[in-house]
């Protein structure tokens, strides 16, 4: 039987509605309107498109958003100066520096420059540490947080399940593993395996998964023979593949061979329309959390 398709688009719409209502309440209570700054260095078309979507979604729920576009050759010191300015700006509660950054800029230095209480991406080492110890003040990376919401709101039990994460990036794979492993009945308490590029016989691991989360950046990596019948499959991959039949000349596909895996899985997320919209919804939710001062004290 074909799998249930989990619509991230629909669920993200619900969450955006919840965020919009929270902002209305904050405004009615005389609290500050949440403010988000997005920083984009260079002109990578995919990054431009993501940042545009994030700003549009922010404005739609009532967040004041400010987009800062900086040239590809900006010196690191100058970028750090922009971030310092945003750290000190009382109207800005969330700061997002879109990745990847140009090679001449130290990613670590930039991510550490963002004030942890405004770090709505959850990439600052303070937030990485807070998340690792399940501190409620952690600002948690948006994509894995979005996957947890997808699972919980779809009624998928994680406790005691075998969860296999394919990919160990700082943005998705590692935090995903930690959230699934956390002592938390809401999307945690799983038995977790994190597989990666050097994992021997990947299929041996993925076939054990009750919940399979794939964030590897390889189109079609996960085929039907690698999936246990009845498993829940969450596809985090967003890959552009050439397609001359499309106006843009490409189409977006995930890391999972959707058409064949949907015949084996019990539930599956599509690409696009799965995890992507949830990532943006969690960014909005993190911005409200930061504006409420719940992302740890501001220095
Ligand atoms: N590049 C790819 N994913 C992300 C993300 O979640 N946040 C930022 N800032 N950059 C990214």
């Amino acid at each position: 039987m074909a799998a249930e398709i989990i619509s991230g688009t629909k669920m993200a719409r619900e969450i955006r509605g919840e965020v919009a209502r929270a902002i209305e309440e904050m405004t009615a209570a005389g609290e500050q309107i949440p403010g988000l700054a997005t920083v984009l260095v260079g002109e990578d078309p995919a990054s431009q498109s993501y940042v545009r979507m994030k700003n549009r979604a922010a404005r739609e729920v009532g967040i004041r958003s400010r987009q800062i576009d900086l040239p590809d050759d900006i010196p690191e010191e100058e970028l750090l100066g922009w971030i310092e300015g945003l750290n000190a700006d009382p109207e800005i509660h969330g700061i997002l520096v879109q990745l990847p950054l140009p090679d001449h800029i130290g990613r670590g230095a930039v991510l550490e420059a963002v004030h942890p209480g405004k770090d709505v991406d959850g990439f600052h080492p303070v937030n990485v540490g807070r998340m690792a110890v399940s501190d409620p003040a952690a600002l948690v990376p948006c994509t894995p947080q979005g996957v947890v919401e997808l699972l919980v709101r779809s009624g998928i039990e994680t406790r005691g399940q075998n969860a296999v994460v394919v990919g160990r990036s700082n943005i998705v794979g590692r935090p995903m593993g930690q959230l699934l492993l956390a002592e938390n009945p809401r999307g945690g308490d799983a038995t977790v395996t994190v597989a990666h590029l050097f994992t021997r016989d990947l299929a041996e691991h993925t076939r054990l998964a009750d919940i399979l989360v794939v964030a590897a950046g390889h189109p079609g990596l996960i085929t039907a023979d690698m999936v246990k019948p009845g498993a829940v499959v969450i596809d985090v991959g967003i890959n552009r593949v050439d397609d001359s039949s499309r106006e843009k000349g490409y189409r977006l596909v995930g890391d999972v061979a959707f058409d064949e895996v949907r015949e084996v899985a019990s539930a599956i997320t599509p690409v696009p329309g799965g995890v992507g919209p949830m990532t943006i919804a969690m960014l909005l939710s993190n911005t409200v959390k930061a504006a409420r001062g719940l992302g740890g004290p501001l220095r």
Side-chain angles (χ1 to χ4, degrees):
M1 206 181 72
E4 176 202 344
I5 311 291
I6 304 175
S7 171
T9 307
K10 190 162 154 256
M11 214 172 282
R13 198 179 302 132
E14 278 169 28
I15 295 169
R16 290 202 308 266
E18 292 165 17
V19 172
R21 280 192 292 281
I23 293 172
E24 278 170 21
E25 282 167 23
M26 289 170 78
T27 315
E31 291 174 47
Q32 277 209 69
I33 297 173
L36 171 70
T38 57
V39 179
L40 175 63
V41 182
E43 297 180 356
D44 174 65
S47 291
Q48 282 176 328
S49 152
Y50 293 143
V51 169
R52 234 186 347 260
M53 284 194 287
K54 290 171 184 178
N55 280 291
R56 194 188 316 134
R59 288 195 199 104
E60 278 172 10
V61 296
I63 291 172
R64 275 201 192 118
S65 85
R66 192 186 303 168
Q67 183 173 336
I68 295 158
D69 292 319
L70 299 171
D72 190 46
D73 60 355
I74 188 171
E76 183 176 306
E77 280 307 310
E78 210 175 299
L79 174 57
L80 294 175
W82 275 97
I83 294 171
E84 273 314 309
L86 295 169
N87 283 342
D89 187 333
E91 288 191 354
I92 294 296
H93 307 95
I95 302 169
L96 176 147
V97 182
Q98 185 65 26
L99 301 175
L101 289 165
D103 290 343
H104 70 279
I105 291 178
R107 171 174 154 153
V110 170
L111 298 183
E112 283 195 41
V114 175
H115 189 289
K118 296 191 177 189
D119 171 35
V120 285
D121 258 328
F123 295 162
H124 190 288
V126 164
N127 282 314
V128 175
R130 283 179 178 159
M131 191 193 63
V133 295
S134 300
D135 179 341
L139 286 165
V140 174
C142 302
T143 300
Q145 196 186 158
V147 172
V148 165
E149 282 300 321
L150 265 179
L151 294 171
V152 170
R153 290 176 186 239
S154 304
I156 293 161
E157 179 66 74
T158 52
R159 174 169 281 181
Q161 300 286 70
N162 286 339
V164 177
V165 180
V166 181
R168 58 171 170 181
S169 72
N170 291 337
I171 297 180
V172 187
R174 281 168 202 251
M176 186 76 255
Q178 283 182 333
L179 292 177
L180 290 162
L181 181 64
E183 272 183 48
N184 187 354
R186 201 175 179 281
D189 294 337
T191 302
V192 178
T193 302
V194 180
H196 51 80
L197 195 60
F198 297 107
T199 297
R200 255 184 296 122
D201 198 353
L202 178 63
E204 199 175 287
H205 295 276
T206 59
R207 275 192 219 109
L208 293 176
D210 302 306
I211 297 169
L212 179 60
V213 182
V214 192
H218 286 279
L221 175 71
I222 303 297
T223 46
D225 58 306
M226 299 169 77
V227 176
K228 175 160 105 173
V232 173
V233 179
I234 308 292
D235 191 351
V236 184
I238 303 182
N239 308 288
R240 288 185 179 198
V241 296
D242 292 341
D243 186 344
S244 55
S245 73
R246 303 285 175 106
E247 201 180 314
K248 288 178 176 168
Y250 68 86
R251 69 193 150 90
L252 295 178
V253 299
D255 290 348
V256 175
F258 184 84
D259 289 339
E260 57 179 85
V261 172
R262 72 179 292 195
E263 299 300 328
V264 181
S266 63
I268 187 168
T269 57
V271 177
V275 175
M278 293 298 286
T279 296
I280 296 182
M282 291 304 117
L283 171 67
L284 308 178
S285 165
N286 274 354
T287 304
V288 170
K289 180 174 179 176
R292 286 176 161 163
L294 300 177
L298 293 180
R299 257 185 258 122

